[in-house]
Amino acid sequence: MARRESAAAGPGSRALVVDLIRSSGPISRVELVEATRLTQPTISNIVRRLIDDGVVRETGATVATGGKPRTLLVINSRSAYGVGIRVGADTITCVVTDTRGGTIGRELVSVTPAEGPEDIVAQLAALYNDVTLGLGLAPQSVAGLAVVGPGPVDVARGRFLALPGLERWADLDLGQALTLRLGVPVLVDSDAAAAAVGEFWGRQVSRERTFGCLYMNSGIGSGVVLDGALHRGASSNAGEIGHVSVLRDGERCRCGGRGCLELYAAPSALVERARATPDLADRLGIRPDDPDARAFDLLARAAIYGDGQARALVDESALLLADGALTLANLWDLDTLVLAGPGFAIAGSLYVSEIRRRLAERAFSRGVHTVEVDLSSNPRDAAAIGGAALVLQGSVAPGHGPQVAAPQA
């Protein structure tokens, strides 16, 4: 696995042209020549192939320039569809998006007990088939499937190395098993990395932006997109900001370290503290057998509605995450940061406010530029949507995303 998905830079780059049309469209061929510094014949050849492949279409609109009117180009939203499945400790979410990142279908199911690898593969395959068949998608229109979950992951082999609460899933060659069963390309990746690509793709962010995503679910992760490509690291496990130590002699973490950020700021940590606070869990309606995700939703809602104890817990988490965001922004000199993941679904505004304040006061480059901080428009489904975006990026803009190849017969 390369240290980073290769960013297209050479003449004739399909990925570069697709990315510019995606982020800037509607755009003319002349504007593409100006933006890429490629020759007019080169751009014409690339655009013609993209139109023939159905990836790009002409809008029918033109721009008058005093000479020949310029025809405008946009991404054809129906050229292909991507499927993303996010695996959580209690639920599995399947999302289908079109080529521009718009969600056209979604299904949420509970995780069923699995006695062996075949049960796991069967459940995911059944969910994929239910959703795609229910939407009436032709098999050839689906670019592929990405299954995403908490890291670490072995992207090259298509397997999760550790899934908290789903130990039977670890070390299963999931990508290969699902590819053989479904007959479509299957990727396995981390939820934070997927969310970063999904937000970048769906928001039509320019490739000129240094784009970051802070992801919070059961844990805390991040992803950074540079020149239109996700920075992956040596093994596609870059961005684990949740395992930066914030307390030298803190608690022992599952990663082997001590005092990691997610031990004190992640939803499961806050739920544990809420349960340990006399009468707080009962007052908020948190039952002993509630999954952490539901319990945190109750805690976050109480914080928003003014419960003092609940707000204190969320505020402390926001302060710690603001430190994490500051580290991320300083390391990469970010100019855009988006918060995504179920952990931000209810109290995301509290986190956004604190992170904006911290970056405005302390970001190393604050005297040169601001860092835009926004909340995902769909925090809960960001990783599943991002999984679909991973597949589509690798299919329609090869060079910016992971290689998406048809399964071998």
Side-chain angles (χ1 to χ4, degrees):
M1 177 62 63
R3 289 185 176 275
R4 177 178 157 198
E5 293 164 354
S6 56
S13 169
R14 175 186 174 110
L16 175 60
V17 173
V18 168
D19 206 40
L20 285 168
I21 297 174
R22 174 198 62 80
S23 62
S24 305
I27 188 172
S28 69
R29 290 168 176 82
V30 172
E31 290 171 311
L32 286 173
V33 170
E34 295 171 351
T36 62
R37 299 183 181 179
L38 301 176
T39 66
Q40 188 274 332
T42 298
I43 288 295
S44 294
N45 288 334
I46 296 172
V47 169
R48 183 167 56 251
R49 289 197 298 270
L50 290 170
I51 291 175
D52 290 344
D53 291 344
V55 176
V56 168
R57 65 178 178 86
E58 296 178 333
T59 65
T62 58
V63 177
T65 61
K68 182 180 178 181
R70 298 175 182 175
T71 303
L72 299 180
L73 304 164
V74 295
I75 295 293
N76 178 9
S77 62
R78 298 184 180 181
S79 67
Y81 300 95
V83 183
I85 293 180
R86 180 188 71 83
V87 177
D90 306 296
T91 60
I92 302 174
T93 306
C94 181
V95 167
V96 180
T97 73
D98 62 25
T99 319
R100 297 189 67 183
T103 299
I104 65 167
R106 176 186 187 272
E107 186 170 340
L108 175 72
V109 299
S110 298
V111 175
T112 58
E115 294 186 3
E118 185 62 28
D119 296 329
I120 295 169
V121 174
Q123 181 177 15
L124 295 180
L127 179 59
Y128 172 91
N129 287 326
D130 285 348
V131 174
T132 56
L133 292 175
L135 292 170
L137 299 182
Q140 64 271 21
S141 71
V142 179
L145 163 68
V147 182
V148 302
V153 294
D154 185 342
V155 171
R157 296 186 62 184
R159 58 166 61 183
F160 295 107
L161 299 182
L163 278 175
L166 295 172
E167 284 72 20
R168 288 181 179 270
W169 293 56
D171 295 327
L172 166 64
D173 289 333
L174 194 58
Q176 180 182 18
L178 282 171
T179 295
L180 292 174
R181 181 146 186 163
L182 296 174
V184 298
V186 179
L187 308 173
V188 175
D189 217 322
S190 77
D191 46 14
V197 172
E199 294 292 331
F200 174 80
W201 191 265
R203 287 170 172 266
Q204 295 182 275
V205 178
S206 169
R207 58 183 286 107
E208 296 178 359
R209 308 287 286 183
T210 302
F211 180 83
C213 178
L214 191 61
Y215 185 83
M216 184 165 74
N217 188 20
S218 56
I220 299 169
S222 70
V224 173
V225 179
L226 307 171
D227 299 324
L230 177 70
H231 177 81
R232 286 196 167 275
S235 65
S236 291
N237 284 291
E240 287 295 331
I241 195 75
H243 295 286
V244 170
S245 179
V246 295
L247 193 63
R248 168 177 281 191
D249 296 319
E251 299 174 31
R252 175 73 68 179
C253 180
R254 63 186 175 90
C255 74
R258 284 190 177 275
C260 293
L261 174 63
E262 71 176 38
L263 292 178
Y264 302 95
S268 57
L270 271 65
V271 168
E272 183 179 353
R273 292 179 61 188
R275 294 185 192 278
T277 302
D279 302 323
L280 179 58
D282 289 340
R283 181 158 50 78
L284 300 184
I286 297 175
R287 301 187 297 263
D289 59 346
D290 275 340
D292 285 346
R294 179 184 184 277
F296 184 69
D297 281 354
L298 294 172
L299 176 65
R301 189 171 290 111
I304 288 289
Y305 290 154
D307 184 285
Q309 288 180 303
R311 180 62 183 265
L313 289 174
V314 172
D315 281 348
E316 185 173 347
S317 170
L319 287 169
L320 289 168
L321 271 183
D323 284 337
L326 179 63
T327 298
L328 197 64
N330 285 344
L331 282 173
W332 294 105
D333 194 17
L334 300 180
D335 51 22
T336 306
L337 178 65
V338 172
L339 310 188
F344 296 120
I346 294 176
S349 60
L350 301 181
Y351 288 93
V352 167
S353 296
E354 184 57 42
I355 290 172
R356 282 176 177 166
R357 183 181 306 112
R358 185 68 56 85
L359 294 180
E361 293 175 352
R362 302 187 190 177
F364 185 76
S365 300
R366 64 187 181 279
V368 182
H369 67 88
T370 59
V371 182
E372 294 181 12
V373 182
D374 293 308
L375 181 65
S376 169
S377 61
N378 191 347
R380 290 195 192 277
D381 291 343
I385 293 171
L390 275 172
V391 170
L392 290 167
Q393 189 185 49
S395 174
V396 305
H400 280 349
Q403 183 176 359
V404 178
Q408 299 298 314

